[in-house]
Amino acid sequence: MWLNLGRLLMICVWAFLLLNLLQPFPTPLRYFVHVALFFMVIMHGLQLVLLRATQPKDAPKLSGVTQAKIFFFGVFELLAWQKKHYPKM
């Protein structure tokens, strides 16, 4: 339940950040949201790169859909993925 709530929160955050690209906010807020969007893209991309780099050679490859979900939902999707593939941790 908490993971789904986190995913919903991430959808709202992405929508807020991307809305600024379509309909710019007033000047002081606009620049803050641009920086926040840049930071979010970098951090979620880094999460995905680190996950892929730490996978063992014999582990099954991540599908494109899974990678996209990890990029958009961040740590919430990583926790769900870990729970699915490593249930005893």
Side-chain angles (χ1 to χ4, degrees):
M1 180 185 122
W2 291 109
L3 289 177
N4 289 333
L5 184 63
R7 289 176 180 149
L8 180 64
L9 176 67
M10 287 307 298
I11 289 172
C12 293
V13 170
W14 276 107
F16 177 77
L17 294 175
L18 294 174
L19 179 64
N20 185 44
L21 296 177
L22 301 173
Q23 182 68 39
F25 298 137
T27 302
L29 182 61
R30 177 183 324 169
Y31 301 124
F32 171 74
V33 175
H34 283 301
V35 170
L37 178 61
F38 176 76
F39 182 72
M40 186 130 149
V41 167
I42 295 297
M43 293 308 292
H44 283 219
L46 188 60
Q47 280 181 341
L48 185 58
V49 168
L50 288 174
L51 176 66
R52 291 175 62 192
T54 58
Q55 290 296 313
K57 300 276 186 202
D58 58 345
K61 293 214 176 229
L62 296 169
S63 69
V65 173
T66 303
Q67 290 182 35
K69 287 169 62 176
I70 290 171
F71 180 78
F72 287 112
F73 298 121
V75 70
F76 300 109
E77 190 61 36
L78 281 174
L79 289 172
W81 179 83
Q82 182 183 18
K83 192 176 188 182
K84 179 181 175 185
H85 292 286
Y86 303 103
K88 295 187 182 202
M89 291 184 97

